């Protein structure tokens, strides 16, 4: 049986945390009197915390000092973390567990490729950390998506080539990163937003095992 590397993004792919990131940024934007919509939020998906703040400040045409930015980054993260206090496996998105199980049963490699610095505690709280043969998160890379570093590093840790990897992503930046890395990009979300992906699914419940099997055999 072929061994492929399946690399999962975290926020908005494995767990429904994209909404918490949005709420936390929205709270900060409100305090700074910046209009911040769900449409603006698409640009923040997949990118680092620091870059996200810069995008919001650009929207509000605010020129902030390093100290102010540091304060707001901490503030945003504290609000975000407050949503995670009671987090458990119920937060795992529909269809994710059967796919993880199927990949394990078929001896496939599984990695996490996330921009988040909060990734490990989330995998622990949701009790799925043991599924991952490699974890690369925001603490491990210096270049955020759309740079391919996070995915290339995951493939490297799995001792496999980039062309052997498949990436599940809900963000435009993440799909672009996977494409630059020459990996098979699979968008989880809306066609209109993720059109650069090689394949797109609304969510994991609409992806069947035959599709995964075909990827393994490729
Ligand atoms: C990505 C999210 O996974 O991680 C972004 O899509 C988020 O919205 C980024 O800003 C960084 O996350 P964190 O947890 O380090 O602030
Ligand atoms: Mg994501």
């Amino acid at each position: 049986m072929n061994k492929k590397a399946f690399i999962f993004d975290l926020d908005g792919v494995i767990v429904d945390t994209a909404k918490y990131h949005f709420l936390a940024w929205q709270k900060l934007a409100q305090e700074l009197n910046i209009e911040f919509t769900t449409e603006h939020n698409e640009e923040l998906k997949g990118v680092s915390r620091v870059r996200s703040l810069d995008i919001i400040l650009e929207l509000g045409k605010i020129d902030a000092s390093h100290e102010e930015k540091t304060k707001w980054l901490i503030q945003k993260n504290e609000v975000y973390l407050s949503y995670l206090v009671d987090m458990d496996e119920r937060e795992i998105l529909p269809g994710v567990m059967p796919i993880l199980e199927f990949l394990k049963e078929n001896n496939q490699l599984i990695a996490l490729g996330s921009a988040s610095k909060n990734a490990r505690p989330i995998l622990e709280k949701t009790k799925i950390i043991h599924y991952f043969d490699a974890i690369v998160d925001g603490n491990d890379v210096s270049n955020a998506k759309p740079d391919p570093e996070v995915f290339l590093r995951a493939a490297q840790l799995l001792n496999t080539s980039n062309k052997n990897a498949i990436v599940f992503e809900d963000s435009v930046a993440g799909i672009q990163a996977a494409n630059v890395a020459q990996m098979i990009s699979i968008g989880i979300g809306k066609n209109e937003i993720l059109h650069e992906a090689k394949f797109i699914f609304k969510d994991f419940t609409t992806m069947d095992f035959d599709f995964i099997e075909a990827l393994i055999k490729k």
Side-chain angles (χ1 to χ4, degrees), residues 83-112:
Y83 288 113
L84 307 187
V85 173
D86 298 322
M87 179 175 233
D88 60 22
E89 55 272 40
R90 285 171 300 182
E91 211 86 24
I92 297 172
L93 284 162
V96 171
M97 288 316 295
I99 298 276
L100 286 175
E101 289 289 350
F102 183 80
L103 293 175
K104 272 281 171 244
E105 278 163 21
N106 286 278
N107 267 318
Q108 299 301 302
L109 298 166
I110 304 178
L112 188 86

Side-chain angles (χ1 to χ4, degrees), residues 22 30 60 67 70 91 104 121 133 137 140 149 180-182:
F22 172 67
Q30 262 163 12
E67 287 69 29
T70 306
E91 211 86 24
K104 272 281 171 244
D133 303 299
D137 66 21
D140 306 314
E149 185 183 356
V180 175
Q182 297 186 312

